[in-house]
Amino acid sequence: MSLTLTIVIAVVVVALVFDYTNGFHDAANAIATSVSTRALTPRIALTMAAVMNFIGAFLGQKVAQTVSETIDPGVGNDALVIVMAGLLGAIAWNLLTWYYGLPSSSSHALIGGLVGSALAAGATAKWDVVLNKVVIPMVLSPVIAFGLGFAAMIAIMWLFRRANPSRANRGFRLAQTLSAAAMALGHGLQDAQKTMGVIFLALLAGGYVGADDGLPIWVILAAASAISLGTYAGGWRIMRTLGRRIIDLDPARGFAAESVAASVLYTTAYAFEAPISTTHTITSSVMGAGATKRFTAVRWVVARRIVMAWVLTFPMAGLAAAASYVVLAAVVPT
């Protein structure tokens, strides 16, 4: 077996490890609101989320293409080391934020890691792609999700203003089964594709695919399986933060937040081909829907910690990836 093939296999394995950590790190995105309102039990919610994540991974490839275009590492062993270091930086940040229960963005950790390792190696980062399809959507998607979450909840409150509260809550608990499933499908559509894009980048760097080739089916299956298994493993620390510590949600607000977040995920994936953060989207929509109860109902101290994690994700994952590249470049023959 050639050294290049060995490194390609190692990068694919690490990419799938990242995909797995993405699954358990972001499991809360799809189900925290449904679990916190008791619309679903944790185990049923996790099972449903895992299945929908798997299905969602097969619904498109545009986001994967965008991720694969964020850097140009070149070809050969050094290019593969760049991709490997980017993944290690993203995994390190995912594990750190998971440990502290912070719902940070796996998507931006991955792209920050790739850019950080590319810069450390003197490779090309495609700043137009990073700016237009990563940074701008990263800033706009939480703002839009907050506004739409607030507006959707105002509409629900007006439409059901004369409804019996107990009966309405039962109805929204049932509706949350659909909105949570839609959110999980959107998570698979967005996040599994990001791993596919990195694996394609590694195959391209190793000379095993051409730039105009489609994604091999085994890449799609592997990424879908890894994120589903990670989702089923659960992310209880982050689930508590998202479902309880930001605001005590009722079923109507949970339904509004999940429906809005899922809509934003589908729109950005299909219309803009942008790899946005499912974490940013659902957290912002939860805040927006929750703010309709009263503005002070949102625990802004917790929200501030989450925003700090968001701001730090891109540079910190990049720094971790740059450090990983320095170490790997010293030990891996190029």
Side-chain angles (χ1 to χ4, degrees), residues 5-314:
L5 179 56
T6 301
I7 300 175
V8 167
I9 293 171
V11 172
V12 170
V13 170
V14 173
L16 294 177
V17 170
F18 168 78
D19 205 21
Y20 181 87
T21 66
N22 189 343
F24 78 70
H25 188 277
D26 290 3
N29 292 345
I31 62 173
T33 53
S34 296
V35 172
S36 70
T37 61
R38 297 180 177 85
L40 296 170
T41 65
R43 190 53 58 191
I44 289 174
L46 282 170
T47 302
M48 179 200 69
V51 171
M52 299 307 285
N53 264 278
F54 185 87
I55 295 171
F58 289 86
L59 297 183
Q61 298 182 9
K62 295 296 186 181
V63 171
Q65 182 179 346
T66 296
V67 171
S68 69
E69 292 174 349
T70 53
I71 65 170
D72 181 8
V75 295
N77 294 349
D78 189 57
L80 290 166
V81 169
I82 292 171
V83 178
M84 172 77 83
L87 286 164
L88 292 176
I91 291 171
W93 184 249
N94 264 2
L95 293 176
L96 182 66
T97 51
W98 167 81
Y99 180 80
Y100 287 105
L102 294 174
S104 68
S105 168
S106 297
S107 308
H108 299 136
L110 175 60
I111 295 169
L114 290 172
V115 171
S117 62
L119 293 177
T124 301
K126 296 183 180 178
W127 293 110
D128 56 333
V129 176
V130 173
L131 177 63
N132 294 326
K133 292 196 174 182
V134 179
V135 175
I136 291 175
M138 178 177 72
V139 174
L140 291 181
S141 57
V143 176
I144 292 170
F146 183 95
L148 290 177
F150 187 90
M153 192 57 216
I154 291 293
I156 287 172
M157 290 167 66
W158 186 83
L159 289 171
F160 291 88
R161 64 191 183 280
R162 295 189 178 89
N164 178 279
S166 178
R167 186 177 301 169
N169 276 337
R170 285 198 300 272
F172 278 113
R173 281 196 178 94
L174 290 174
Q176 271 197 275
T177 303
L178 296 177
S179 60
M183 181 66 200
L185 194 71
H187 181 256
L189 171 66
Q190 276 277 348
D191 284 43
Q193 283 194 60
K194 293 156 191 170
T195 300
M196 297 176 204
V198 175
I199 293 176
F200 185 82
L201 193 60
L203 295 174
L204 188 63
Y208 291 95
V209 295
D212 296 326
D213 292 347
L215 277 172
I217 187 63
W218 68 265
V219 173
I220 301 173
L221 280 169
S225 300
I227 201 168
S228 296
L229 290 172
T231 298
Y232 190 73
W236 304 107
R237 292 174 184 267
I238 294 171
M239 198 180 300
R240 285 196 297 272
T241 297
L242 195 54
R244 290 289 187 186
R245 292 180 185 169
I246 295 175
I247 186 171
D248 292 321
L249 288 172
D250 54 50
R253 286 176 173 82
F255 171 77
E258 289 170 339
S259 300
V260 163
S263 299
V264 173
L265 290 177
Y266 298 143
T267 301
T268 51
Y270 288 121
F272 302 106
E273 303 173 9
I276 68 164
S277 168
T278 53
T279 305
H280 290 193
T281 305
I282 185 61
T283 305
S284 299
S285 59
V286 165
M287 291 180 187
T292 59
K293 183 182 291 187
R294 62 183 187 280
F295 202 67
T296 56
V298 178
R299 297 184 180 100
W300 295 107
V301 173
V302 177
R304 187 163 56 247
R305 289 180 62 222
I306 293 170
V307 171
M308 282 296 295
W310 290 354
V311 171
L312 290 172
T313 292
F314 203 93

